[in-house]
Structures are given as structure tokens and as C-alpha cells.
Amino acid sequence: MSARVDIPADTSAAAKGTAPLIAAASTHVKGGYKKGLAIFDFVLRLGAVAAALAAAATMGTSGQTLPFFTQFFQFEASYDDLPTFQFFVIAMAIVSGYLVLSLPFSIVAIIRPHAAGPRLLLIILDTVALTLNTAAAAAAVAIVDLAQNGNSSANWLGICQQFDDFCQSATGAVVASFIAAGVLLFLIVISAVALRKR
Amino acid sequence: MSARVDIPADTSAAAKGTAPLIAAASTHVKGGYKKGLAIFDFVLRLGAVAAALAAAATMGTSGQTLPFFTQFFQFEASYDDLPTFQFFVIAMAIVSGYLVLSLPFSIVAIIRPHAAGPRLLLIILDTVALTLNTAAAAAAVAIVDLAQNGNSSANWLGICQQFDDFCQSATGAVVASFIAAGVLLFLIVISAVALRKR
């Protein structure tokens, strides 16, 4: 069965020929830009894994035993002695584990730059990881500062005069965790730009 | 000028009549859903302003002077004595200020639910605010825990036995800042869902 339809010729050409071609071209350009962002995301994520692992490992192996001791007591300091540093090691280990597990999703985002699902998952979980990472880093900074300088108002004395190696390890771990936090923040910005519907 | 084109009748009906109507309907539904998210965002943002202001004000006005004193010394504690609490007050004041300034952008997102610009700005600045808020809250928790329980390994004694009112104010401020951080995290999830290109 067929029906006769009168259509002005030029309108028909515009509707059927040109418009889809323009749409296809703009989609192609958008795809390339999003694919570049996804590859950048993957590389940055590898850097964040390294920084987070370094932070957890440095703090987890920090500890110092002083070379003098009495009959009853040996002077030693370890991250185990401070609950904040224990939290730091656990939190950074969780962040490292999450970042490793997120690598496959980042690869999916490279292969399919237009899929919003993996991006949305990554941005939400990255934000949670950033929160955990920042909490660990900030709490450790507060304790490291106290260990370095003490606080005269609260009558807390610094311990870094004695345990200088321990304090240096802790400081290094905190710096590494701040680097991981900075990379995570940048990853979230990238994901937000890639999620944009333009 | 007109041209005769033979088109099967049912295909024509499907292409010219039904399809655009479905597209229009789905756009309308998407708009409503994004507008609802934007209104929810605005209401949550008001709650975050209240929590962040409460945290900054509670910590900023905390302080306690003990009812006994010697000839040379009066026993008092204030947030000024601990650098971490000073950072907490400044950071939470900045977060409160940012949240108030972000309200107009949230209103723009209600009026124009499809514009990606305000959403993108909000999600990036919200993430920065969340990082600052979490850092302040976590560092303050580390110090509040030390003030409550002390640390026997580092020979730091708790001060909350003497300054109980001060410790209670500080704990309340920390709880309020964690509420603000939770709301900010939720705001970021909402913005990410609204940015999705579907």
C-alpha cells in the first residue's frame, strides 16, 4: 500500500541530506575530546594509586626504637601508638584498593567515551574516596604538628626531638596522601567535564 | 514547486506523527526530573549552610575559664589555644560563605534545569568545599579525641576532665561539621546525576 505525499523539494533535501551529516560530524569531534579525557583519567589514576600506596606503606612501616634503654623499659615509637596514624594506614589502604579496582571502569570509559554509567559511578566513588583520603591526611597533619611542636596550653610536649626518624616517615606519608588527594580532586573535575551533556 | 514522493502510509505516519510527539514528551519528563533535583539541591544547600554556620559559631565561641585561680595564673581554655581548632573555625567560615554564595547558582539551576554550566560550576566548587570541610572535621576529631583520652605512649594527658564545657562545645562543633560534610557529599551526587547527558 502506498500514499501520495506532496513535499516541497528543497525542504526535503535539507531534512534528509544535510542535517544528519552535520550531527554525525559533531558527534565525532565530541567523541575524540571525551576519549582524550578518559585516557588522561586513566594515567592520573595510576599516579594516584602510586601515591596512596606509598602513603599507606610509609606510615605502616614507620617506627623507631631509641638506642638506649633501661632495665624495664625500651623507648620505641610506632604508628600503632597513635590511633590517628592507625586510621591513616587503614584509610589509605582502602583508598589504594578502591583506586586499583576503579582502573577497569576507567578503561571502559576509554573504550566507550559516550557511556554515562561508568563516569557517574566513578565520580561518585571518587568523591567518597577523596573524603576518606582527606580525612586521613588532615587528621595525621594535626597529630604530626603536635608531635613536632607540642602545645604549651594543653601541656603536650613534642616527641620529634627524640623520635626524629619516626616523625620524618610520618611527614613523608602525609605529603604522599595529600598528593593522592590532589590527584583525586583533579579526577573528579575531569569526570564532571566529561559528564557534561554538550 | 512540489515533487511527488511515494511513501508507504504507515511508515510515514510513524515518522512524521508519532516520533516527534514521543521525543517532546520525553524531553518534558526529563526537564521535570531535573527541576525536582535542582529544588532538592537548593533545600539541602540551606541545611548545609545552617550546619556549617553552627559548626563555625559553636567552635568560635567555645572557651572555658575554671572557677579557681592562683595569684599568677588563671586556668582557661579557648579554641585559640589549639591551632587545629583555629583552622577549623576559619575553614568552616569559608565553607559557610561559599555555601551562601552558591545559593544563587542553585536558583539558576532551578530556573534553567537543562543548562550544564551552573551545574558544572557547582559540582567542582562543592568538591573543593567538601575537601576543606572534611579536612577541618577530621583534624578537629583527632584533637578532640586527644583532649578526651590523651595518649599514654606520647605522654599527652587528656584535658577534658578539667575543661568539660570546652570539650563539649568542641565535640558539638565537630558533629555539626560532619553533618555539613555529609550534606555536601549528597549535593555532589545530585549534581552528578543531573549532569548526566541522558
Side-chain angles (χ1 to χ4, degrees):
Chain A
M1 187 180 116
S2 72
R4 181 190 294 175
V5 183
D6 285 340
I7 300 169
D10 45 357
T11 309
S12 170
K16 299 207 169 152
T18 331
L21 280 176
I22 288 170
S26 103
T27 305
H28 182 71
V29 168
K30 189 175 70 177
Y33 135 87
K34 288 206 171 178
K35 200 171 194 117
L37 278 183
I39 292 170
F40 195 40
D41 177 295
F42 183 76
V43 173
L44 275 180
R45 214 167 272 278
L46 286 177
V49 169
L53 270 181
T58 309
M59 186 64 94
T61 57
S62 71
Q64 186 180 8
T65 305
L66 294 189
F68 51 87
F69 47 89
T70 67
Q71 198 177 350
F72 306 106
F73 197 72
Q74 194 174 16
F75 299 95
E76 61 180 330
S78 145
Y79 78 95
D80 269 339
D81 295 328
L82 294 156
T84 306
F85 287 174
Q86 284 178 302
F87 168 66
F88 181 91
V89 172
I90 295 169
M92 292 314 294
I94 292 174
V95 170
S96 309
Y98 157 70
L99 282 170
V100 170
L101 291 177
S102 75
L103 288 175
F105 291 94
S106 184
I107 293 172
V108 168
I110 294 176
I111 298 170
R112 307 190 64 181
H114 293 290
R119 280 266 155 243
L120 194 66
L121 191 71
L122 280 181
I123 197 171
I124 291 172
L125 292 182
D126 278 356
T127 308
V128 174
L130 173 64
T131 309
L132 192 60
N133 191 330
T134 309
V141 159
I143 299 299
V144 164
D145 168 70
L146 216 51
Q148 294 271 10
N149 306 317
N151 185 294
S152 54
S153 305
N155 212 14
W156 294 330
L157 297 174
I159 56 168
C160 284
Q161 287 83 350
Q162 292 90 50
F163 297 102
D164 51 344
D165 283 0
F166 174 63
C167 278
Q168 275 179 16
S169 299
T171 307
V174 167
V175 170
S177 75
F178 268 104
I179 292 172
V183 175
L184 271 172
L185 189 57
F186 200 59
L187 282 175
I188 292 171
V189 173
I190 288 178
S191 287
V193 171
L195 257 185
R196 212 164 94 184
K197 67 178 174 179
R198 188 165 67 94
Chain B
M1 188 180 116
S2 73
R4 181 189 293 175
V5 183
D6 283 346
I7 299 170
D10 46 357
T11 308
S12 169
K16 301 210 167 149
T18 331
L21 279 177
I22 287 171
S26 100
T27 305
H28 182 72
V29 167
K30 188 175 71 179
Y33 134 87
K34 288 205 170 178
K35 198 167 196 121
L37 277 182
I39 293 169
F40 194 40
D41 177 294
F42 182 76
V43 174
L44 274 180
R45 215 167 272 276
L46 285 178
V49 169
L53 270 182
T58 309
M59 185 66 92
T61 56
S62 71
Q64 187 180 6
T65 305
L66 294 189
F68 51 86
F69 48 88
T70 68
Q71 197 177 352
F72 305 106
F73 198 72
Q74 193 174 17
F75 297 96
E76 60 181 330
S78 144
Y79 79 96
D80 268 338
D81 295 327
L82 293 156
T84 306
F85 287 173
Q86 284 178 301
F87 168 65
F88 181 91
V89 172
I90 295 168
M92 292 313 294
I94 292 174
V95 169
S96 308
Y98 157 69
L99 282 170
V100 170
L101 291 177
S102 75
L103 288 175
F105 291 94
S106 185
I107 293 171
V108 169
I110 293 176
I111 298 169
R112 309 189 62 180
H114 294 290
R119 280 264 154 244
L120 194 65
L121 191 71
L122 279 181
I123 197 170
I124 291 172
L125 293 181
D126 278 355
T127 308
V128 174
L130 173 65
T131 309
L132 193 59
N133 191 329
T134 309
V141 159
I143 300 298
V144 164
D145 168 70
L146 216 51
Q148 293 273 10
N149 305 316
N151 185 293
S152 54
S153 306
N155 212 13
W156 294 331
L157 297 174
I159 55 167
C160 284
Q161 287 83 352
Q162 291 90 50
F163 298 102
D164 52 344
D165 282 0
F166 173 62
C167 278
Q168 274 179 16
S169 299
T171 308
V174 166
V175 169
S177 76
F178 268 103
I179 293 172
V183 174
L184 270 172
L185 190 57
F186 201 58
L187 281 174
I188 291 171
V189 172
I190 289 178
S191 287
V193 170
L195 256 184
R196 213 164 94 185
K197 66 178 173 178
R198 188 164 68 90

